[in-house]
Amino acid sequence: MPNTRDQKIQAEAKRLLQDGVVDVVIGFQKGTLPYKMQPCFISRADEVAKLTLNGLCSNNLAVYLNHWPKGEKTAIIVRGCESRAIQTLVLENRHARENLYLIGVPCIGILDLQKIGQQELQPVLAVQEEGDQVRVTFGNGEKLFKRNEALHDACLHCNHPQPLNADVVIDEAGLFEDGSFDKSYLHAFRNLSAKKRNEVFRAEAERCIRCYACREACPMCYCEECFVNHSRPQWIDSTIAPSGQQGWHIIRAFHQTGRCVSCGACERACPMNIKMTYLTDLLNQDMAAEYGFEAGLDAAAAPPFLTLGEDKGKFTGEQEEDHAN
Amino acid sequence: MTQKKPLIVLFQCQYCLASSLDQYWVEQELPENVKRVKVPCSGRIDPLYILNAIQGGADGIMVCGCMPEKCHYKEGNLHARRTLNEFRNFLNTLGYPQERFVFHWMNIDERGVIQPLLASFEERLKRSKDRPRLANRMLNQENG
């Protein structure tokens, strides 16, 4: 049943394709599973009726721009995180902004299937969003969830749900206001003892099966050859040995420092439900504290690791004072 | 009971410790528990190398690089300072204590500082040997 948000998106996509403004529109369509929408690529105006956007669209669409021909005129339906990811990718020369047409949609949040689906050991037959509530039909009956409680953690911690720098913004109210980010979970993690923090990290990392779904879902992971795929020298154990699991999570997160837009696509892609946005959020918090930088907000500011500075007086630890003069 | 000396990996920028005495010392007389990795510039040190050393069984990591404005390649060390410092913070947040991973940004004309630095680092490592660690490649091999 199409709602007005879908109709507005479809009308905009139809206009763009008919007028020849773009060659293709990237968006979401109904998938084969009732609780998952799948990304789709619409290139004909008569196909736009497929387009939809709801809380079940869990991918970050910016990931498709990485291996997309730079010259192709592309429209893409963006929420807050996707628009910030695209801004970062454009900054890193992965795509030309003039060839992109961003259809902004104020974010309505993404539902976490684990929160609504896994409490029941029953197949999910349908998910229906009704205002503040989510009606989930299981094999043995229906259940109502509060929408705010069923949202993904990354969406609950989101600071910028409004699309940035979009060419057109669909006129529908989003779910959140900007700046509602709740950082308390990071503070709670930092306040644990070193041993406890290590235990949390170990417990999360040891479930990893090294499928690299997090890498594939991430718009910022676009290296032609990932460091885990090197075989000579092999930097990281490629098996599910603890050293390899921990190494993968540490370096994967570290490569996102100041680049991660906290969309949480990695976590939603993970088949083992490993929490990993806390790693990149910790790093991003450091970047914000030390360099005042937040990924994707400013179209001209490069991440701190791509810029150089003498950082006078910043790193004067005890080791530096040990032998001063 | 004899105590095993902590294994230290020393990443050395080739323009540090440039005086002939220091260079002779690190090349010929380095203690057995110190492994030296000589790199063209501290900017060449990827966090991956550090992690590889830690997982390879190192108890402590020491990075020697040049002072900010003294880099032979002009800005390699500026990059190293930002990334490695954040990497150290990050490992510390994950429970790998930051006293196991130290930097020494030094001037080219400094000489005779590396020996006392290594000695004091070794002492500190002995004191912190019970702190949490990351998983180790060698342990994997022992446990099958």
Side-chain angles (χ1 to χ4, degrees):
Chain A
M1 214 169 62
N3 55 28
T4 47
R5 180 179 289 105
D6 283 357
Q7 283 165 350
K8 284 176 187 171
I9 291 172
Q10 288 162 8
E12 182 64 22
K14 192 167 189 176
R15 183 185 73 80
L16 292 173
L17 288 168
Q18 273 176 347
D19 296 356
V21 182
V22 297
D23 302 327
V24 62
V25 178
I26 308 181
F28 283 98
Q29 68 178 19
K30 259 199 160 48
T32 45
L33 291 169
Y35 48 85
K36 263 188 182 169
M37 299 290 137
Q38 70 183 33
C40 66
F41 307 89
I42 307 285
S43 50
R44 292 213 318 266
D46 55 353
E47 284 177 336
V48 294
K50 284 182 188 171
L51 284 172
T52 180
L53 190 89
N54 54 34
L56 300 171
C57 305
S58 66
N59 302 54
N60 187 327
L61 290 177
V63 76
Y64 296 106
L65 295 182
N66 284 326
H67 301 288
W68 204 254
K70 260 192 187 179
E72 192 164 350
K73 299 268 186 196
T74 310
I76 180 163
I77 294 166
V78 294
R79 290 161 287 188
C81 45
E82 282 154 341
S83 71
R84 278 175 286 134
I86 287 171
Q87 196 127 281
T88 312
L89 290 176
V90 168
L91 192 73
E92 294 176 5
N93 283 327
R94 295 305 295 180
H95 220 282
R97 180 65 181 84
E98 58 268 24
N99 288 336
L100 292 175
Y101 192 95
L102 306 185
I103 307 172
V105 184
C107 187
I108 47 170
I110 299 169
L111 298 176
D112 188 351
L113 298 174
Q114 307 307 327
K115 288 185 185 171
I116 56 175
Q118 268 209 340
Q119 293 149 354
E120 314 276 321
L121 291 171
Q122 285 287 331
V124 177
L125 300 181
V127 180
Q128 189 73 34
E129 291 173 74
E130 299 165 355
D132 289 347
Q133 289 183 319
V134 185
R135 184 184 300 275
V136 185
T137 314
F138 293 102
N140 60 349
E142 280 186 352
K143 204 169 173 188
L144 274 174
F145 292 90
K146 282 216 177 75
R147 201 169 191 284
N148 280 347
E149 287 168 11
L151 284 179
H152 193 265
D153 285 345
C155 297
L156 291 174
H157 301 144
C158 181
N159 214 359
H160 306 284
Q162 306 300 327
L164 296 169
N165 271 355
D167 294 290
V168 61
V169 177
I170 299 295
D171 182 24
E172 278 277 328
L175 191 65
F176 310 104
E177 292 298 311
D178 270 15
S180 53
F181 186 31
D182 172 22
K183 282 198 178 78
S184 55
Y185 88 108
L186 291 180
H187 290 306
F189 182 77
R190 282 186 202 271
N191 287 337
L192 296 173
S193 70
K195 209 172 161 204
K196 199 84 190 152
R197 291 198 300 266
N198 194 247
E199 273 170 21
V200 172
F201 173 62
R202 267 165 197 256
E204 291 295 334
E206 76 180 9
R207 298 204 303 277
C208 182
I209 55 171
R210 310 298 295 280
C211 66
Y212 306 135
C214 42
R215 179 184 73 188
E216 301 304 320
C218 179
M220 296 302 149
C221 272
Y222 55 71
C223 288
E224 291 295 324
E225 189 178 358
C226 184
F227 70 96
V228 284
N229 293 355
H230 275 285
S231 53
R232 198 179 292 172
Q234 189 176 40
W235 296 111
I236 301 279
D237 276 336
S238 59
T239 59
I240 52 166
S243 65
Q245 293 166 326
Q246 294 182 11
W248 163 244
H249 281 269
I250 291 172
I251 300 289
R252 182 201 70 84
F254 193 73
H255 282 176
Q256 312 292 341
T257 313
R259 301 168 65 236
C260 173
V261 294
S262 309
C263 62
C266 45
E267 243 176 61
R268 291 188 293 272
C270 183
M272 303 304 284
N273 305 330
I274 299 172
K275 289 260 167 275
M276 47 192 129
T277 47
Y278 73 102
L279 297 173
T280 42
D281 279 350
L282 285 166
L283 286 162
N284 278 348
Q285 205 181 32
D286 284 351
M287 289 297 106
E290 280 190 38
Y291 306 101
F293 181 85
E294 230 178 306
L297 289 192
D298 188 343
F305 287 179
L306 292 184
T307 52
L308 301 159
E310 290 205 0
D311 302 323
K312 279 224 163 79
K314 211 163 229 173
F315 307 132
T316 44
E318 36 143 10
Q319 292 81 28
E320 277 177 303
E321 283 153 18
D322 267 352
H323 65 288
N325 302 317
Chain B
M1 204 172 91
T2 53
Q3 202 182 15
K4 212 176 142 195
K5 279 191 169 178
L7 181 63
I8 297 173
V9 176
L10 170 70
F11 287 91
Q12 180 214 344
C13 151
Q14 65 178 359
Y15 293 95
C16 283
L17 314 172
S19 75
S20 49
L21 267 178
D22 277 346
Q23 203 52 44
Y24 179 80
W25 189 79
V26 292
E27 272 167 17
Q28 307 289 336
E29 295 175 5
L30 211 58
E32 272 187 13
N33 62 331
V34 181
K35 301 262 183 249
R36 186 177 65 117
V37 182
K38 194 171 173 179
V39 288
C41 172
S42 52
R44 183 69 187 87
I45 305 168
D46 193 286
L48 209 45
Y49 301 175
I50 310 279
L51 189 78
N52 204 30
I54 292 172
Q55 295 196 329
D59 297 298
I61 309 286
M62 185 188 275
V63 173
C64 288
C66 303
M67 285 298 211
E69 62 278 16
K70 299 282 169 58
C71 182
H72 183 80
Y73 302 99
K74 293 201 173 133
E75 50 195 21
N77 60 351
L78 302 181
H79 180 74
R81 277 158 62 96
R82 281 197 171 185
T83 51
L84 295 182
N85 207 72
E86 180 57 27
F87 191 59
R88 176 170 177 250
N89 284 348
F90 185 47
L91 289 183
N92 187 44
T93 315
L94 297 183
Y96 185 82
Q98 60 183 3
E99 59 258 30
R100 289 181 182 279
F101 178 10
V102 297
F103 304 105
H104 293 291
W105 308 109
M106 50 179 64
N107 283 317
I108 293 175
D109 55 355
E110 277 180 80
R111 50 196 67 178
V113 292
I114 187 70
Q115 296 89 339
L117 282 177
L118 277 173
S120 74
F121 186 37
E122 199 174 307
E123 278 310 305
R124 271 180 285 154
L125 285 179
K126 276 180 189 162
R127 284 204 297 274
S128 71
K129 70 177 178 7
D130 297 328
R131 303 289 301 276
R133 286 159 184 269
L134 299 174
N136 193 318
R137 282 187 178 197
M138 287 150 91
L139 285 176
N140 294 337
Q141 283 162 11
E142 279 168 22
N143 297 339

